[in-house]
Amino acid sequence: MRSLRIAWLWLATSFRAAPLPMAISTVLVAARAITTPAQTYGVSQLVEGIADDNSNTIALGIGIIVGGLAVSFVADVIGWPLQDTAQERMAGRVHADLLDVTTGIPGLTHHERPDIADRLELVRERAWRMGVGAEVLLWAFATVANTVTVLGLLGSVNPLLLLLPLLGATRIWSAYVSSVRSHKAYEDSLPQERLVDKLIDVSKDARTGLEVRVFGLGKVLLDRIFALQTERFRRRVEAARWGGKVDGSVRLAFGLAYAVAIVWVIARARNGQQTAGDVVLVLLLAPQVDQMTGGIARNVYWVGEVVRSFSRYDWLREYAKDNSWQTSVDAAPARLRSGIELRNVGFAYPGTESAVLSDVSLTLPAGSAVALVGENGAGKTTLVKLLARMYDPTSGRVLVDGVDLATISPDSWRSQLSAGFQDFVKFEWTAREVVGVGDVRRESDEAAVRAAVSRGDAEAVVAGLPRGLDTQLGKKFTDGVELSGGQWQRLALARAFMRERPLLLLLDEPTAALDPEAEHRLYEQYAAAARVAAAETGGITVLVSHRFSTVRMADLIVVMHNGRVEEVGSHEELLVAGGRYAELFELQARAYR
């Protein structure tokens, strides 16, 4: 059933990408494929007509030869441009589909699990093989047409000669087992390939260049890359050598068998059992049978590669469907009335057994500003991801005004969120776009973008750019401008301000690259925005920070430790309680004093 689905996916994608070019090309490649064996038959008829002094047979032979030349000319002139067009459209369609399917997965599991990440990397890396799927499909049509014609001509001489293509079919077997071995070698080396790519990125990225040079890591990286590459190539070369030996042995056996068949047909012709035309036909078909079986062998390899690629694509589509949260169809509320409640929430990242969060029960009241504090690894960022519904809890539930978040459409919920993260993305676009994409519906609204820049305290950054908001960022571009870490962060913060009235504003250490004074000023901006959102929509602001001078302005402070909620209360209440928060606050206060 799955094989039929994959075959249909290949066929449908090819013809959907370029219906008319594919239809015309199919007819042309089939016509082109039968011209060579047909012209061989024409030559045999010409020789036989000359030997028998039969003008009708001579005319038939000449007509077939000339007709074949005409068909080949038309097929070559019209067919190649159409095939190129079909292939380009197919490649474009495949890459667009892959992007659409991948970005349509609402969760982050496929990024976190190594086994899923490996398969996704394989899908992306081998996507070009699906892109040539249209060409391979046409080759398959041509091979079928050529094979039927050659078999018909050999059978017309003597049915026993049909055994030769069957013997030649062993090349198909050798190509198949060789491709399977080669593919296994490739898949076995995929983890090394991913690591090599990462190490190459580290060695050439300007952001890592400073540490690479300070710690003298250049040779270390090169040695590790060389060792990984050597192991990759060893696996693949061994597979290629094995395949070459198998294919060489099969071709030798086929060549000897065909030599015997030619001698046999000549002997029969001398006894009057075959005609001179039959001898010529068999002699000329000999290399064509070898080419035919070789073509089938090559097609088997490429068909196998394309089928495997579409098999991975089919897996990706099924994975996306299974992880699309299709049952989450409810709309997000326009206003929070009671707030968000985490009820006995536990969570372990996919593919792992250790729990990051355990039995977390917490209420975030509507209109409140909530700060999450705790040491690294306490589970703060994971909690933020659950609130954004990048994952669903392993156990327990997240309730929004009493409604399970798992029933709310992820797109609808996220359209009501805004966020600023420590690991923000440096979008190398124009400054206007870098900020504006915080709310794509208002990206072209000049007033909205400038207001977000102001609230994000990024006006000085924009003022220092040569073309203001229209400046291209990123030194990869000829006229691009590179920013400092703090400048990039201010633009990321401005981006978080594009949505003016979010139901949930998530701030996961978004000011780590800024000094304490700038951070305090920005959080005052956030606090003001939060108060407006709280009054109008009941919006909640969730802040993660290690600076206690900042978190003390929150209405509610949640202290986390080892994936559990240890303390909850206001700054004053937690100081009076004398627990972990008070201890951490005093340590930090002493450091400042």
Side-chain angles (χ1 to χ4, degrees):
M1 182 65 182
R2 185 166 185 262
S3 298
L4 290 176
R5 190 174 70 234
I6 292 168
W8 174 251
L9 181 61
W10 177 11
L11 189 67
T13 304
S14 300
F15 277 89
R16 193 169 65 247
L20 187 59
M22 279 295 294
I24 298 174
S25 294
T26 301
V27 175
L28 291 177
V29 297
R32 181 72 178 82
I34 67 174
T35 54
T36 300
Q39 286 176 311
T40 300
Y41 176 72
V43 171
S44 72
Q45 290 299 296
L46 179 61
V47 170
E48 194 162 313
I50 293 173
D52 295 342
D53 193 23
N54 187 325
S55 58
N56 289 334
T57 305
I58 292 173
L60 176 62
I62 293 173
I64 293 174
I65 294 170
V66 172
L69 290 172
V71 170
S72 296
F73 175 79
V74 172
D76 287 344
V77 170
I78 299 176
W80 291 118
L82 285 174
Q83 288 184 47
D84 288 343
T85 299
Q87 183 176 333
E88 288 178 6
R89 291 186 183 176
M90 177 73 163
R93 181 68 183 235
V94 163
H95 284 89
D97 285 354
L98 280 176
L99 185 62
D100 181 59
V101 171
T102 306
T103 56
I105 301 172
L108 294 179
T109 300
H110 56 293
H111 293 301
E112 303 281 0
R113 286 183 54 178
D115 56 334
I116 300 296
D118 274 346
R119 297 188 72 173
L120 281 173
E121 182 66 22
L122 194 57
V123 171
R124 284 191 290 264
E125 197 276 335
R126 291 295 179 99
W128 68 272
R129 300 194 178 220
M130 286 191 290
V132 301
E135 183 179 352
V136 175
L137 193 62
L138 293 173
W139 283 351
F141 292 147
T143 299
V144 170
N146 180 265
T147 301
V148 170
T149 306
V150 169
L151 290 176
L153 292 175
L154 281 175
S156 69
V157 175
N158 193 297
L160 288 176
L161 293 176
L162 293 176
L163 295 174
L164 291 173
L166 293 178
L167 180 60
T170 53
R171 285 194 66 192
I172 301 173
W173 168 82
S174 69
Y176 172 74
V177 295
S178 297
S179 69
V180 168
R181 187 151 182 160
S182 176
H183 177 71
K184 186 178 187 307
Y186 177 84
E187 286 202 330
D188 288 346
S189 66
L190 189 60
Q192 290 100 325
E193 183 164 349
R194 289 182 63 211
L195 184 53
V196 165
D197 290 341
K198 296 295 183 186
L199 292 175
I200 290 174
D201 287 341
V202 169
S203 64
K204 70 180 184 180
D205 196 321
R207 292 172 294 182
T208 58
L210 183 61
E211 289 199 41
V212 168
R213 284 158 181 78
V214 167
F215 296 113
L217 299 179
K219 189 175 185 307
V220 175
L221 290 172
L222 288 175
D223 288 346
R224 189 167 295 183
I225 289 170
F226 180 77
L228 290 167
Q229 291 280 38
T230 300
E231 177 61 20
R232 285 174 57 208
F233 291 141
R234 182 189 65 78
R235 293 173 185 267
R236 298 184 191 184
V237 168
E238 285 180 356
R241 284 177 178 169
W242 184 86
K245 290 176 183 178
V246 172
D247 189 56
S249 301
V250 167
R251 292 196 71 175
L252 179 61
F254 173 71
L256 291 174
Y258 215 107
V260 171
I262 291 173
V263 172
W264 177 67
V265 171
I266 292 174
R268 284 175 59 84
R270 294 185 66 182
N271 293 331
Q273 295 172 293
Q274 305 284 170
T275 65
D278 291 339
V279 175
V280 171
L281 186 61
V282 173
L283 283 170
L284 294 179
L285 283 177
Q288 291 183 38
V289 171
D290 183 64
Q291 292 173 9
M292 178 192 76
T293 53
I296 293 175
R298 287 190 297 274
N299 279 345
V300 164
Y301 170 78
W302 280 104
V303 167
E305 287 296 297
V306 172
V307 166
R308 276 189 287 271
S309 295
F310 270 97
S311 175
R312 299 182 198 106
Y313 179 37
D314 177 70
W315 164 83
L316 176 60
R317 286 161 58 97
E318 291 299 307
Y319 176 84
K321 185 187 298 183
D322 293 340
N323 292 272
S324 63
W325 298 341
Q326 291 180 344
T327 57
S328 304
V329 295
D330 294 344
R335 178 184 179 86
L336 288 178
R337 302 192 181 280
S338 59
I340 301 174
E341 179 187 359
L342 289 86
R343 186 177 296 174
N344 305 118
V345 166
F347 181 74
Y349 281 100
T352 67
E353 296 181 358
S354 57
V356 182
L357 297 176
S358 301
D359 196 28
V360 173
S361 293
L362 178 67
T363 298
L364 311 180
S368 64
V370 180
L372 303 180
V373 300
E375 72 275 13
N376 290 332
K380 304 183 297 297
T381 296
T382 300
L383 187 56
V384 167
K385 290 179 180 178
L386 292 182
L387 290 173
R389 207 193 167 194
M390 297 300 163
Y391 300 96
D392 282 334
T394 308
S395 60
R397 295 191 297 166
V398 178
L399 304 174
V400 179
D401 280 349
V403 177
D404 195 334
L405 182 57
T407 66
I408 297 175
S409 162
D411 289 338
S412 177
W413 176 241
R414 291 171 194 165
S415 69
Q416 300 279 26
L417 308 184
S418 190
F421 301 106
Q422 179 179 0
D423 297 325
F424 56 87
V425 180
K426 294 181 179 179
F427 294 111
E428 294 189 341
W429 303 332
T430 66
R432 182 189 308 279
E433 292 168 325
V434 169
V435 175
V437 294
D439 188 350
V440 291
R441 293 170 297 182
R442 300 193 302 152
E443 182 182 352
S444 59
D445 187 334
E446 177 82 11
V449 172
R450 292 199 175 276
V453 168
S454 176
R455 288 196 296 273
D457 198 24
E459 290 174 306
V461 177
V462 174
L465 297 175
R467 287 177 295 282
L469 287 172
D470 295 316
T471 301
Q472 172 66 53
L473 303 182
K475 60 184 178 183
K476 293 179 182 178
F477 300 92
T478 303
D479 59 346
V481 175
E482 186 54 72
L483 303 179
S484 69
Q487 289 174 320
W488 276 113
Q489 192 156 48
R490 286 179 187 275
L491 292 181
L493 289 165
R495 182 163 63 242
F497 272 117
M498 276 297 294
R499 288 180 177 171
E500 296 180 324
R501 305 290 184 270
L503 291 183
L504 182 61
L505 176 60
L506 300 170
L507 304 173
D508 190 355
E509 300 192 65
T511 58
L514 303 182
D515 58 77
E517 183 181 351
E519 181 188 60
H520 187 75
R521 186 167 62 251
L522 274 166
Y523 277 124
E524 285 181 339
Q525 292 269 38
Y526 275 122
R531 284 192 293 271
V532 173
E536 295 187 5
T537 64
I540 298 171
T541 298
V542 175
L543 162 67
V544 177
S545 178
H546 285 99
R547 290 174 179 164
F548 284 70
S549 58
T550 298
V551 302
R552 65 185 301 172
M553 68 178 64
D555 302 315
L556 190 69
I557 298 173
V558 179
V559 183
M560 301 192 68
H561 179 64
N562 290 337
R564 297 178 180 272
V565 173
E566 192 165 287
E567 296 178 283
V568 179
S570 66
H571 173 72
E572 290 76 15
E573 290 170 344
L574 293 177
L575 285 182
V576 171
R580 184 177 298 275
Y581 178 83
E583 179 183 344
L584 293 174
F585 180 82
E586 181 58 29
L587 283 172
Q588 196 168 106
R590 267 204 309 270
Y592 277 108
R593 289 197 295 268

